Amino acid sequence: MHPLLQFTLDFFESKRPLAPVEPAQPAIKPIANRTPPPADRIETSASGSTFRHPCANREALLDGQVVAFEFKRGKRRTIGFVVGPEGLRVRAPTWVTLRAVDAALQEKAGWIIKKLGETTQRQALVAARCIEWRDGTTIPFLGEPVTVVLSPGPGWRVKGAVLTPVENDPHSTQTGAPRHRLQLGLPPSATPDQIRDAVQVWLMQQARQLFAERLNHFAPLLQVQWRKLSLSNAQTRWGSARIDGAIRLNWRLLHFRLPVIDYVVAHELSHLREMNHSSRFWDTVRTVVPDYAALRAQLKSETAPRWA
C-alpha cells in the first residue's frame, strides 16, 4: 500500500428528497476569488487552525477549526465525506440543501478533524523520511539502516551494488548505528538520479530472490501453488493475487522487517484459497502467521521512505 490513507464516510441515506429550504446565511460559506495553493498536501495556517483542500470552494467551522473543502453535487443518494492526502472532499445529492450538508458536517466534525489531523501527521512523516540520494545516505533494508557508499575504488570488479558488514567501526556498536553498508560501483561525481537508480536495481534484485524464497516457504503450508511472481512499484498497494496463481509484490516491502514481509506474502497466497477478505480468509492467514493482526497494523502505521 501507498503510505497515505484515505478515509471515506457516507453520512446518511434517504429515499426521499429533503425539503429545499436554504438558510439566509448558510454556515457553509463559498470561497470566492481564491486561487488554490500549488501544493499536493493539506496545508495549515500559521495558527494551525485551518485545513485547506487545494481545490476548495467552500469552508465551514468544525470543532473550532476552519476547514476549506471541495464541494460537489451529483447523482447520488448520500452525503459523502472523503478525507485524503489533499484534504476534505464533500459530495452531496443535487436535492440536498446546504443546511442539511452543514448539519451532516457538524454531526461528524470530530471524525473529520481527527482524520485530517492523522493525514497531516502522516504526510509530515513521509516528507521527513524523503531519501537524499548522496554518498553516505541511509536507507532501511529489512528493518535496519544501511549506509550507501560510493566505492568504485581500485580493483572494483562488481558493477552495481554489494552489501557488506561494517567492520572495525567504533560507532557500529551504538544503538541504531548501521551494521551494513551498500557499496555502489559509482564514482564520487555520480548524480542523485544515478545513485537512486543503482539502489533501486539492487533492491529489486533482492526482492525477487527473497519473495520467491518466502512464497516457496508458505505455499506448501497453505496447500496452494503460485505460478508467476511480478514486482510492483505501486504507491498504495503492497501486493495482489490472481486466481491463476500470479502474485504481484511491491519491491518497497524490502524496507520492512522480514515478519512484515512474511505477512504480505502469506496474505496474497491465502487469496489463492479465498479470493475475498471474509472471516475464512483471515482464518487461513492465521494458520501460517498467527500474529498477522499486529503485523498488519505495523504495516499500516509505519511509513516507508519516500523516493524522490
Side-chain angles (χ1 to χ4, degrees):
M1 107 188 315
H2 189 276
L4 301 180
L5 301 178
Q6 178 168 283
F7 306 90
T8 306
L9 176 68
D10 280 340
F11 180 66
F12 71 84
E13 181 172 345
S14 174
K15 296 182 180 180
R16 294 185 301 175
L18 298 180
V21 178
E22 295 283 352
Q25 294 182 342
I28 301 177
K29 299 178 181 180
I31 300 177
N33 299 323
R34 294 189 183 180
T35 302
D40 57 358
R41 61 181 179 83
I42 299 172
E43 294 191 347
T44 59
S45 65
S47 62
S49 62
T50 301
F51 294 98
R52 175 178 297 279
H53 191 287
C55 298
N57 55 2
R58 297 273 176 174
E59 63 181 21
L61 186 65
L62 304 178
D63 272 7
Q65 300 195 58
V66 177
V67 178
F69 57 92
E70 182 187 35
F71 177 69
K72 289 185 178 181
R73 295 183 181 274
K75 294 181 179 180
R76 51 179 296 143
R77 299 178 63 187
T78 64
I79 297 176
F81 307 138
V82 177
V83 178
E86 294 184 323
L88 174 64
R89 292 187 290 124
V90 180
R91 300 293 182 266
T94 55
W95 47 264
V96 169
T97 66
L98 288 179
R99 174 181 291 174
V101 175
D102 182 61
L105 282 166
Q106 297 303 324
E107 178 69 20
K108 297 300 179 182
W111 181 88
I112 293 171
I113 295 299
K114 176 185 177 182
K115 296 307 178 184
L116 285 170
E118 290 175 355
T119 303
T120 302
Q121 292 175 2
R122 192 174 184 85
Q123 288 177 312
L125 181 59
V126 170
R129 299 197 66 184
C130 184
I131 301 174
E132 182 182 358
W133 295 107
R134 57 175 178 77
D135 184 26
T137 194
T138 61
I139 62 168
F141 176 66
L142 297 181
E144 293 192 11
V146 170
T147 303
V148 176
V149 179
L150 304 186
S151 179
W156 180 264
R157 299 177 181 177
V158 180
K159 294 182 179 180
V162 174
L163 187 69
T164 60
V166 175
E167 299 177 353
N168 300 322
D169 186 347
H171 298 293
S172 64
T173 59
Q174 296 180 0
T175 302
R179 297 186 299 171
H180 292 83
R181 63 166 61 96
L182 182 63
Q183 296 179 272
L184 304 181
L186 294 175
S189 59
T191 66
D193 286 349
Q194 289 175 320
I195 298 172
R196 179 198 60 206
D197 292 346
V199 172
Q200 180 174 340
V201 168
W202 180 80
L203 279 175
M204 294 181 72
Q205 292 172 344
Q206 302 304 308
R208 185 172 294 277
Q209 178 179 339
L210 180 62
F211 293 164
E213 175 187 319
R214 304 316 292 164
L215 286 167
N216 288 331
H217 170 77
F218 284 109
L221 300 177
L222 290 165
Q223 298 181 348
V224 297
Q225 184 175 2
W226 66 278
R227 300 185 180 280
K228 180 183 178 181
L229 169 64
S230 300
L231 298 184
S232 165
N233 194 35
Q235 296 296 318
T236 60
R237 194 171 188 178
W238 292 118
S240 63
R242 293 191 337 202
I243 197 169
D244 63 359
I247 303 292
R248 288 179 63 86
L249 295 170
N250 196 318
W251 61 266
R252 298 173 194 268
L253 282 168
L254 266 290
H255 292 308
F256 295 93
R257 297 185 305 116
L258 183 59
V260 175
I261 298 174
D262 279 350
Y263 157 67
V264 178
V265 170
H267 181 120
E268 301 310 331
L269 285 174
S270 295
H271 276 310
L272 301 184
R273 290 178 55 178
E274 296 288 338
M275 295 299 291
N276 51 56
H277 286 106
S278 65
S279 59
R280 291 179 59 182
F281 167 80
W282 293 114
D283 288 343
T284 301
V285 176
R286 187 181 293 107
T287 61
V288 291
V289 184
D291 58 342
Y292 81 86
L295 295 171
R296 183 184 182 210
Q298 182 178 338
L299 184 62
K300 288 185 176 182
S301 62
E302 293 189 1
T303 305
R306 180 182 175 187
W307 285 56

